[in-house]
Amino acid sequence: MESKTFLDSLPTNFRHEKSFFNKKNLFELEKLSNLSDLDINEIQTKSPLCSLNNLKKIRAIAIFKKEIAISPPEAYLLLHCGIGSIKSLSLSTPYELERKIGRLERSLRVKVGTEITFSLLKKWIIKAKQIN
């Protein structure tokens, strides 16, 4: 059985970035979360199919996973709701996040596949405040 890496859990729209990282054997959560803006710009220059926006999202998802133990699908959802960093998460309230997730679900006309409860949102925010 093949072990699943952090990159395997990302959506298919990250296929070019995942391919680049796999070719470079750069799939460890620690390394991905520590990518600097300079590193991201270099990757984008070396591999034009990798989008700058997606590379930054991968870094943000890795940071959420590493620092707060948020799963990649949940972190991706936070990004879609406008929460792109631990600082912005720490400044949010569970009510705000719940409202943003609900608005996103209504605008996409789909129910989010993850079980995100009010208490889970509160736990994430508390962890983010401790880090900040």
Side-chain angles (χ1 to χ4, degrees):
M1 185 171 142
E2 189 178 316
S3 65
K4 200 170 181 180
T5 66
F6 167 75
L7 292 174
D8 293 331
S9 62
L10 296 175
T12 56
N13 60 311
F14 292 107
R15 66 187 170 281
H16 299 298
E17 294 78 12
K18 287 163 53 171
S19 172
F20 176 83
F21 288 133
N22 283 325
K23 285 178 188 170
K24 298 292 183 183
N25 287 327
L26 182 65
F27 43 81
E28 295 170 16
L29 190 62
E30 186 73 30
K31 289 181 181 176
L32 292 171
S33 66
N34 289 329
L35 287 173
S36 68
D37 286 340
L38 183 63
D39 296 332
I40 288 174
N41 287 334
E42 283 181 26
I43 291 168
Q44 209 274 322
T45 303
K46 290 177 184 174
S47 180
L49 291 177
C50 295
S51 87
L52 205 55
N53 196 25
N54 279 355
L55 291 167
K56 288 182 179 183
K57 284 180 183 176
I58 289 172
R59 177 179 59 189
I61 293 169
I63 290 170
F64 280 135
K65 172 93 172 126
K66 179 181 138 198
E67 300 290 333
I68 305 182
I70 296 175
S71 74
E74 293 167 337
Y76 195 56
L77 178 64
L78 286 178
L79 290 175
H80 275 291
C81 291
I83 306 298
S85 67
I86 291 178
K87 181 171 178 76
S88 62
L89 179 60
S90 73
L91 297 173
S92 300
T93 67
Y95 301 105
E96 275 181 287
L97 289 178
E98 193 174 52
R99 192 185 78 235
K100 287 179 179 183
I101 291 169
R103 187 182 312 136
L104 181 64
E105 287 176 335
R106 287 188 301 280
S107 71
L108 296 176
R109 294 189 175 133
V110 293
K111 183 76 176 143
V112 175
T114 58
E115 277 299 312
I116 298 179
T117 62
F118 187 79
S119 61
L120 181 61
L121 294 172
K122 193 174 180 179
K123 189 170 86 173
W124 290 348
I125 292 169
I126 290 169
K127 280 184 181 179
K129 285 181 180 181
Q130 290 170 347
I131 291 169
N132 246 346

